[in-house]
Amino acid sequence: KDKDVLFEYFLDWAFVHCFYYTEKHFDKGIKFALKAMGCAQNDEQLFRAVTRAMWLHLYVGDLKGALSFFSKADNLFAETRDIYARKEFYFGASWLFLEKGVFDKSYQYALEGIKLDEGSKNANVGLYLYSFKAICEHEFEQHEKAIKTINYALEKEKKVFGGEISLAGGELLQVKANVLLSLQKIPEAEQSVSESLKIFEKLKGKEPYHATALSKRIFSQILLMANKPEEAKIHCIRSLEMYKKLNTEYSYDSVETMVLMGKIHLELLEYEELNSLFKKMESNLGLDNEHTSKLFNAVAASDKLWAIV
């Protein structure tokens, strides 16, 4: 009968369902988050429940739903004094704007969250905030700064998990690989992304997982740079299939993978497949979209515009 106890119970069950990637679990998680909102005794509890609902929408790639709950949580933020609740909000907000490709906002929320990082309760969230910070620094072409951020976070990860492997550690290694790739440190990037894939495969098996899809894209990019387009294509296809199963086919990372697939088609002289992919992007994203433009420019640079016009 105690609403405070029920609130924590429902909130925890919503949290558990953050880690499943099926519609069935997503629906259950949302129901638990809504039940937690119904049991909330004050604005701070409501803030925590709404933030958790934002997480759930992010985990399944529903950016519109996540943005709606972000707005509700943002309106309640001033009423919340709990630093851990605030840190979880900053985590979700940074992740949301990362998925939307709005890196300046994502970076600011990551920095605010890191200021509250205690290294104890919800320390795992702190590690992801460092990861988001590094991703933004990478997008800002501050590659050396991003490497320092990741190395610092990897040291924290060892302390948090006592040397055991973790999803957070795998994702930090993945971000590091992407930055190393931009620095043209190919062998180091391949080693880092291979380590991340081993961690994801051990902890997640073959189930669809966002980070696995992204690591496969990075690995595909490395193979393409090593003039192995056939092998690159295999990993790129697996990455795109995973995004589709996760219902995140048109998230920022997924469409980045589409651009890479287009470049692979170009390299393999697969002009029908290239045309089909470009038309799909044009139809769903628009011709002025930055990713559609990236693929268009890559095709134009190869003097093969006839393949997509």
Side-chain angles (χ1 to χ4, degrees):
K1 304 294 183 183
D2 189 319
K3 283 198 172 183
D4 285 326
V5 173
L6 282 172
F7 170 80
E8 296 293 345
Y9 175 82
F10 291 137
L11 196 70
D12 284 348
W13 268 113
F15 180 76
V16 168
H17 286 284
C18 284
F19 295 93
Y20 294 95
Y21 295 90
T22 65
E23 288 299 319
K24 175 182 164 186
H25 283 289
F26 169 65
D27 289 342
K28 279 188 177 181
I30 285 294
K31 285 177 183 176
F32 281 121
L34 292 173
K35 285 182 178 181
M37 289 178 210
C39 290
Q41 299 294 291
N42 51 54
D43 284 342
E44 190 167 288
Q45 286 186 341
L46 185 59
F47 173 80
R48 291 173 62 199
V50 169
T51 298
R52 191 59 47 84
M54 174 174 66
W55 282 24
L56 276 154
H57 283 276
L58 282 167
Y59 269 100
V60 294
D62 179 7
L63 300 188
K64 187 176 179 181
L67 188 59
S68 174
F69 282 108
F70 161 79
S71 298
K72 292 173 184 176
D74 195 36
N75 288 334
L76 293 163
F77 183 85
E79 307 301 318
T80 304
R81 296 287 174 265
D82 186 286
I83 61 168
Y84 301 116
R86 285 187 165 214
K87 191 166 84 171
E88 290 191 9
F89 169 77
Y90 286 134
F91 159 77
S94 181
W95 182 9
L96 171 62
F97 287 103
L98 201 63
E99 290 289 341
K100 288 174 68 64
V102 186
F103 298 106
D104 54 346
K105 277 194 173 186
S106 176
Y107 188 64
Q108 287 305 314
Y109 281 120
L111 290 178
E112 291 300 321
I114 285 168
K115 286 179 188 176
L116 301 178
D117 185 36
E118 300 296 300
S120 53
K121 186 179 177 183
N122 66 11
N124 197 29
V125 169
L127 294 173
Y128 281 105
L129 284 162
Y130 281 103
S131 177
F132 297 159
K133 176 177 181 282
I135 292 169
C136 292
E137 288 165 345
H138 175 229
E139 290 291 335
F140 301 151
E141 298 188 359
Q142 299 171 351
H143 304 308
E144 296 294 345
K145 190 175 180 181
I147 290 289
K148 286 182 182 179
T149 299
I150 290 297
N151 287 340
Y152 177 77
L154 283 168
E155 287 301 313
K156 283 179 70 71
E157 189 263 350
K158 288 178 186 175
K159 295 174 185 175
V160 171
F161 290 97
E164 295 292 322
I165 63 170
S166 70
L167 291 173
E171 294 195 35
L172 288 167
L173 286 166
Q174 174 195 92
V175 176
K176 187 174 183 178
N178 217 14
V179 180
L180 288 166
L181 201 55
S182 295
L183 292 169
Q184 299 296 306
K185 296 182 178 180
I186 310 302
E188 295 97 322
E190 185 172 354
Q191 181 183 352
S192 192
V193 78
S194 295
E195 287 176 19
S196 77
L197 279 168
K198 285 177 185 175
I199 289 172
F200 299 145
E201 285 167 8
K202 185 168 184 178
L203 296 177
K204 285 290 181 182
K206 293 184 178 181
E207 72 174 280
Y209 185 56
H210 289 276
T212 308
L214 183 50
S215 280
K216 285 188 178 295
R217 185 193 88 202
I218 296 167
F219 196 32
S220 175
Q221 192 172 348
I222 290 169
L223 289 166
L224 185 61
M225 291 173 76
N227 295 315
K228 298 177 181 178
E230 293 88 355
E231 292 178 47
K233 183 178 177 180
I234 292 168
H235 289 279
C236 204
I237 287 171
R238 288 175 182 166
S239 177
L240 286 170
E241 285 175 346
M242 205 166 278
Y243 282 122
K244 194 169 184 178
K245 287 178 181 176
L246 292 165
N247 298 315
T248 56
E249 194 175 5
Y250 294 102
S251 67
Y252 184 87
D253 283 325
S254 180
V255 290
E256 279 279 297
T257 311
M258 287 183 188
V259 174
L260 178 60
M261 179 58 85
K263 291 177 180 178
I264 293 170
H265 287 319
L266 200 58
E267 187 72 22
L268 293 172
L269 311 181
E270 296 174 342
Y271 300 125
E272 285 187 20
E273 292 92 333
L274 173 62
N275 180 269
S276 177
L277 177 65
F278 184 80
K279 296 302 180 190
K280 180 180 178 181
M281 292 178 69
E282 184 181 17
S283 174
N284 290 282
L285 300 169
L287 194 57
D288 294 332
N289 175 270
E290 64 170 303
H291 294 95
T292 312
S293 296
K294 274 185 190 178
L295 184 53
F296 182 91
N297 292 336
V299 176
S302 299
D303 293 323
K304 299 288 193 307
L305 273 180
W306 53 264
I308 60 174
V309 174

